[in-house]
Amino acid sequence: MRSSEKGKALEDEGRQALSRGLATAWGVKDRPGKGPKPGLSLERIVEVAVQVAETEGLSAVSMSRVATVLGAGTMALYRYVESKEELLMLMMDAAFREHPLPPAPDEPWRVAVERWARQHLAVLRKHPWVVRIALGGPPITPNQVVWFERGMSSLSGTGLPEMAKLDSLSLINGWVRHEAMLEADLREAERRAGTNAAEALTSYWHTLGVLTDVQRFPALSALVAAATSDAAATSDAQFTFGLERILDGIAHVGKRRGPQRRTPRSVRQKRNHPPAGT
Amino acid sequence: MRSSEKGKALEDEGRQALSRGLATAWGVKDRPGKGPKPGLSLERIVEVAVQVAETEGLSAVSMSRVATVLGAGTMALYRYVESKEELLMLMMDAAFREHPLPPAPDEPWRVAVERWARQHLAVLRKHPWVVRIALGGPPITPNQVVWFERGMSSLSGTGLPEMAKLDSLSLINGWVRHEAMLEADLREAERRAGTNAAEALTSYWHTLGVLTDVQRFPALSALVAAATSDAAATSDAQFTFGLERILDGIAHVGKRRGPQRRTPRSVRQKRNHPPAGT
DNA sequence: AGCCTACTGCGTACGCCATACGCTTTACTG
DNA sequence: CAGTAAAGCGTATGGCGTACGCAGTAGGCT
């Protein structure tokens, strides 16, 4: 497939599959230029919506709020976007406007993948509202697709079959999102309670300790004891731990271990869905 | 701490920290029996709310909807629950009413952990609305705490330090939730489009193929080619792949590998937040 | 030149939502 | 049997997303 063919293909069938805002985002649009010139632009709308989310949280993002900031009527937005859900999708895409660096040549896959994951996490930390948006399927918006591409290419050094790479990326992606969600929860808890994160955590362990007795909850009791004696809180350590485990796990695909063995063949077995998120 | 002390402690300080509904859920409640008898019960309310979510989706769950089913006024619910958010929290807890089997004695940790993860996923598959609820922090409701306990205890065979076990559980938990979310997304997409999941997937790969050209997206092009040639879709394979990777990774903690090494000491380094979700 | 018509802008309206407030009714405590 | 604390609940407020349809604009065609 050459690029020109793609352009034609997009014009022909891309638009019928893609919704209004998505088509604009991909730069596929028939501008017949018939009626009055559009007074707004999708870019501005998304930009304003992001700004609102950034400063007042995702819950402050409403169609009327965004329209008011733009000095337009609420319904004007629906000329550019099919629904609020689509706006959210595009906001999310905007958050990934800055692309991750492509893997350097000869870079070990492990380094490349770790960088990708950390850059992903950095984006989600910078825009905490992103993880509050339910991703409604696999990545389809322009920037998300770029991240998807870069993620896959950072895994190419593993030599895994395509589908195993996909599954691996999904695993990493899930971990990044999970971590970002926890952090967002914690931040919100501290904002609501007016305390800092460390206090919120201490208070959690305390409450859990009160709620659980040793007989019924031996494992938790041990955990609470260990947690309360240990002090400082860094989410980074938890994230790093999980990431290392995942990378170790990927590195060991196909290596036999212990009694039950699984060769990489087991990996190819069936099809599954693509990773959502980035 | 003995159990009786716990009971007292709960009465004293548990209630001030716990919100109304949570206190009831834990069975900590001062029923002074002053006013009229409550006409409803928290249990019934949550049960009805769950039923609505089960049959019509989470978005159909509103205070007035639940109240109507119960034959009560909307505001009556607020005698039992502090806010809708709390109701959602309790609904989530109710979904985990059936507890996972505790690890059998002498059971290898790997088997126990895998069972825990699969049972967790089974719950989320049975109640897809659960993953749509943003978990607002670490587990604090009764059933979730039991799952938390069982998860930790299934990891006790690893011999890892408490905090590493916690981090591991969080990793597994994140993967389970991520997988369940993807499946829920897919199910919703197929419901909305009126097609089955396989078609939705095919259509996704097709769209992605149209959107991406080989020069700009080499890795994705390769993936799309592999994906479209491969047919059947099972989410289970993807989940299993990730889970195996994680378990491998956990099993290899502390084992040196390659040039850069990380001993288990690096695992203990700092504190981090507890796993949310179960 | 001027009409046609596709398109944009946007006001109005509808049916939801969560929940603050305060009045009425109830039933236990002293 | 009074006092009072709690429950029930109607009303009201201030949102929300979006369906609908009218009015006005400007490019394309005759």
Side-chain angles (χ1 to χ4, degrees):
Chain A
M1 330 164 159
R2 262 198 329 305
S3 212
S4 54
E5 291 176 42
K6 289 286 185 179
K8 191 75 185 81
L10 281 175
E11 228 172 280
D12 286 352
E13 63 172 338
R15 205 152 34 69
Q16 70 184 8
L18 265 42
S19 57
R20 180 164 7 193
L22 253 187
T24 312
W26 276 100
V28 184
K29 220 24 190 318
D30 44 338
R31 259 313 280 106
K34 250 322 186 34
K37 301 234 163 69
L40 302 172
S41 77
L42 187 58
E43 244 184 28
R44 289 256 318 126
I45 292 172
V46 172
E47 179 192 320
V48 165
V50 166
Q51 204 129 58
V52 171
E54 217 81 70
T55 59
E56 302 173 54
L58 190 63
S59 62
V61 176
S62 73
M63 297 309 262
S64 72
R65 181 84 174 69
V66 172
T68 303
V69 174
L70 286 162
T74 306
M75 295 314 288
L77 304 188
Y78 286 94
R79 291 284 164 196
Y80 303 85
V81 135
E82 213 118 77
S83 64
K84 186 185 181 181
E85 195 191 330
E86 199 185 83
L87 175 57
L88 292 175
M89 194 178 182
L90 293 169
M91 288 172 63
M92 204 161 158
D93 193 62
F96 289 93
R97 170 191 282 276
E98 290 181 17
H99 300 164
L101 300 171
D106 308 339
E107 190 177 30
W109 66 265
R110 195 168 170 122
V111 176
V113 171
E114 179 161 349
R115 192 156 38 82
W116 185 90
R118 292 198 184 276
Q119 287 180 345
H120 189 176
L121 180 60
V123 168
L124 297 183
R125 279 181 175 155
K126 195 169 173 189
H127 311 290
W129 48 269
V130 170
V131 291
R132 299 291 182 213
I133 302 173
L135 31 86
I140 197 64
T141 55
N143 294 315
Q144 300 252 23
V145 167
V146 170
W147 277 79
F148 190 8
E149 160 74 22
R150 295 271 210 274
M152 285 300 291
S153 85
S154 72
L155 279 161
S156 62
T158 58
L160 290 174
E162 290 299 320
M163 289 311 170
K165 280 192 280 189
L166 175 62
D167 293 348
S168 301
L169 188 59
S170 182
L171 177 56
I172 293 158
N173 191 35
W175 179 234
V176 171
R177 283 186 62 89
H178 187 72
E179 172 68 23
M181 276 171 152
L182 295 192
E183 290 183 25
D185 280 344
L186 209 59
R187 266 201 257 184
E188 206 163 296
E190 85 186 274
R191 191 186 50 75
R192 219 182 299 195
T195 65
N196 63 26
E199 282 178 51
L201 225 41
T202 306
S203 141
Y204 170 71
W205 288 121
H206 176 73
T207 307
L208 193 63
V210 172
L211 252 26
T212 59
D213 60 288
V214 206
Q215 298 95 302
R216 253 166 55 83
F217 301 98
L220 283 190
S221 298
L223 175 62
V224 168
T228 48
S229 76
D230 206 340
T234 77
S235 320
D236 257 5
Q238 170 153 347
F239 176 69
T240 300
F241 177 87
L243 186 56
E244 296 280 334
R245 265 0 92 218
I246 291 172
L247 295 176
D248 282 355
I250 293 172
H252 284 75
V253 170
K255 296 204 175 69
R256 64 199 142 309
R257 47 128 228 288
Q260 83 280 34
R261 49 164 301 166
R262 287 224 174 201
T263 72
R265 302 200 65 254
S266 74
V267 150
R268 301 215 70 254
Q269 53 194 0
K270 280 281 181 110
R271 200 54 297 297
N272 37 34
H273 48 240
T278 201
Chain B
M1 331 167 159
R2 260 196 333 303
S3 213
S4 54
E5 291 175 41
K6 290 284 186 179
K8 191 74 183 81
L10 281 176
E11 229 171 281
D12 286 353
E13 62 170 341
R15 205 155 31 72
Q16 69 183 8
L18 265 42
S19 58
R20 180 163 9 192
L22 255 187
T24 312
W26 277 100
V28 185
K29 217 30 190 314
D30 45 337
R31 256 316 276 108
K34 248 327 183 31
K37 300 233 164 72
L40 302 171
S41 76
L42 187 59
E43 242 182 31
R44 289 254 322 124
I45 292 172
V46 172
E47 180 192 321
V48 165
V50 166
Q51 204 127 59
V52 171
E54 217 81 70
T55 59
E56 303 174 53
L58 190 63
S59 62
V61 176
S62 73
M63 298 308 263
S64 72
R65 182 83 173 70
V66 172
T68 303
V69 174
L70 286 162
T74 306
M75 296 313 289
L77 304 189
Y78 286 94
R79 291 282 162 196
Y80 302 84
V81 134
E82 213 116 78
S83 64
K84 186 185 180 181
E85 196 191 329
E86 199 184 82
L87 175 59
L88 292 175
M89 194 177 181
L90 293 169
M91 288 171 64
M92 203 161 158
D93 194 61
F96 289 93
R97 172 191 280 275
E98 289 180 18
H99 299 164
L101 301 171
D106 309 338
E107 190 176 29
W109 66 264
R110 194 167 171 123
V111 176
V113 171
E114 179 161 348
R115 192 156 37 82
W116 185 90
R118 291 197 184 278
Q119 286 180 344
H120 189 176
L121 179 61
V123 168
L124 297 182
R125 277 181 176 155
K126 195 170 174 189
H127 311 291
W129 47 270
V130 170
V131 291
R132 299 290 183 214
I133 302 174
L135 31 86
I140 196 63
T141 54
N143 293 317
Q144 299 253 21
V145 167
V146 170
W147 277 79
F148 190 8
E149 161 73 23
R150 296 271 210 274
M152 285 300 292
S153 85
S154 73
L155 278 162
S156 62
T158 58
L160 290 173
E162 290 299 319
M163 288 312 169
K165 279 192 280 189
L166 175 62
D167 293 348
S168 301
L169 187 59
S170 182
L171 177 57
I172 294 158
N173 190 35
W175 180 234
V176 172
R177 283 186 63 87
H178 187 72
E179 172 68 24
M181 277 169 151
L182 295 192
E183 290 183 24
D185 281 342
L186 209 59
R187 266 202 257 185
E188 208 164 294
E190 85 185 274
R191 191 185 51 75
R192 220 183 299 196
T195 65
N196 63 24
E199 283 178 50
L201 225 41
T202 305
S203 142
Y204 170 71
W205 288 120
H206 177 72
T207 306
L208 192 63
V210 172
L211 252 25
T212 58
D213 59 288
V214 206
Q215 299 96 303
R216 253 166 55 80
F217 301 97
L220 284 189
S221 298
L223 174 63
V224 168
T228 48
S229 76
D230 204 342
T234 76
S235 320
D236 258 5
Q238 170 153 347
F239 176 69
T240 300
F241 177 87
L243 186 57
E244 297 279 333
R245 264 1 91 219
I246 291 172
L247 295 177
D248 283 355
I250 293 172
H252 284 75
V253 170
K255 296 206 175 69
R256 65 200 144 310
R257 49 132 226 288
Q260 84 281 34
R261 49 164 304 164
R262 289 222 172 200
T263 71
R265 304 200 63 254
S266 75
V267 150
R268 303 215 69 254
Q269 51 194 1
K270 280 281 181 112
R271 201 54 296 298
N272 37 34
H273 49 239
T278 206

